[in-house]
Amino acid sequence: MKQTLNELLDARVRAALSAAGCPDAPAVIQPAGRPEFGDYQANGVMGAAKARRMNPRALATEVVEKLDLAGIASQVEIAGPGFINITLDAAFLAGRANEALADARLGVPRPAAQRVVVDFSSPNLAKEMHVGHLRSTIIGDALARVLRYLGHEVIAQNHVGDWGTQFGMLTAYLIEVEQGGEAAIALNDLEDFYRRAKQRFDEDAEFATRAREYVVKLQGGDAQVGALWQRFLDISLHHCEEVYARLGVGLTRADVRGESAYNDDLPAVVTDLQAKGLAVESEGAQVVFLDEFRNKEGEAQAYIVQKQDGGYLYSTTDLAAVRYRAGTLHADRALYVVDARQSLHFQQMFTLARKAGYAPATLQLEHVGFGVMLGEDGKPFKTRSGGTVKLADLLEEAESRAFALVSAKNPDMAEAERREIARAVGIGAVKYADLSKNRNSDYVFSWDSMLAFEGNTAPYLQYAYTRIRSVFRRAEGWDETAPVVLSDPAERLLALELARFADTLDDVARETMPHFLCAYLYELAGKFMRFYEACPVLKSEGEVRASRLRLCQLTADTLRTGLGLLGIQVLETM
RNA sequence: GGCCCUAUAGUUGAAUGGAUACAACAGCCCCCUCCUAAGGGGCAGGUACAGGUUCGAUUCCUGUUGGGGCUACCA
């Protein structure tokens, strides 16, 4: 039975605590805060002693006596009020590295598999994707990749906005520009197309009436309007797919299940809620009063599922979607990677989905929220002209800045190769800038920080990888089965970091926090850079040389895999 | 008004209740006859305020102040 490092230490320390008379005490294992405290610390003794009115130092002594870390730790010490400091045995760390090298999964254990729905990206198809869509798209993609890597069955759901009044306006405008023979040009810039359609809608009452009629026709299943709507969606989705392709995001048409897909279910949802006594009429609308949420008068807060005019809302659509995800997709866990402003909506929706029986207790429902984007002035982000930055423009700028840098560093390199490197570096920098931040925080959009290529950035990690590749291009004749042997401190620190990969992935999947993986990879790359400076690889000899090459190999494999899970490419040279 | 999020070096960010708060950028100083200097080493600099819980608080609780969001028919 494979275990992560944390699981292994946790099990051993808990066994010792149990033997010392504290059967249910948590071990509280964590990486040591300072190098002189060893590699790991177990902090559970203080709490356990407190709960049992024991002397913590005495309990720590007893736990350490019972603690079996033979072949794992070289030193176990008690410090301070009852910390247990564990220094791992170099031979054990070398063994972990050797096991990882022998395993295609780098020694990462598979947890019990779940079926996980990940709802992410979900752009509004009426407009072009802008920087505000970046977070959901890449956080969701990274989570989907990590969950898949761990062995879960992931069902991506791109819950696109493809329904509602604005599509009547857009299809009506599409007909107009087609009659003028300018449809292809007009649709080239979706943002502009929307703006013009809106202008027509606001200025021309006749057009506005026609647009409203189209909405009714569309929702009534009219074939002609439906065909126009489909064409518009096709073009809009194509725009999205160009962005996904550039970002290296794995979403396809098969993952698209937009709001329109639930259209036929909406009346049934409302009827069902009424039948269950949950939805009632109030001020002409169909409303569910949820006791769990109070309004300003202290009464149960209203959650509208059908408007006065009979129209439906995103609440209704999301209820239909959760019913589908539970009932048809049989999900064990559903993640909603959606902006934090919708937090209340999701709390209400989840609560109602449970009450209505759409989501069984066994289905974990999680709103994976993220902070809103701010400008450099700390206020909600807008460009100087008051608009938004198109995602495509950001990516273009990223590639062009990276291209200038690559060209400056490699003037003799063929342009095609420089372009390829610039693409991976530029896109990687944009993604990493976003993924490396705690998603709960609001996020300041800045061209310079988004497009930085030094320090804690994707290019730093990519650069570490190319350095390793460069070593291997020069290493002639080496033993690809040689064991890792650790002697130099820099080797040991690198091996220790490598051994933490599996725990990191567990943390990312459990907490839905991609920035844990970024922080890990940055640490790993840093440990490698120091090893690289301190320990000559190719100029060393014998088993030391072979061992160092093997460490390089595992580092490269881990960096490539980890960056791959973030959707960031590695390069042979840069 | 109520509810949610948030406040960490000059700046942008990290820190499952653990020991002397971790980085990057910007600043200053070193290191390419040495496996790619997009790198490495060093200096300097920080938890909004006031209480509380705890053996121990950036973390939990209360209050104050500042920022953002949501709060019945947009999503």
Side-chain angles (χ1 to χ4, degrees), chain A residues 262-274 305-306 310 312 316 320 323 358:
Chain A
Y262 301 102
N263 186 49
D264 295 345
D265 300 338
L266 303 182
V269 166
V270 174
T271 308
D272 184 66
L273 291 172
Q274 289 168 328
V305 294
Q306 187 174 18
Y312 299 98
T316 334
R323 206 168 64 147
Y358 300 159

Side-chain angles (χ1 to χ4, degrees), chain A residues 176-185:
Chain A
E176 280 199 354
V177 294
E178 283 210 316
Q179 284 165 349
E182 292 168 348
I185 306 158

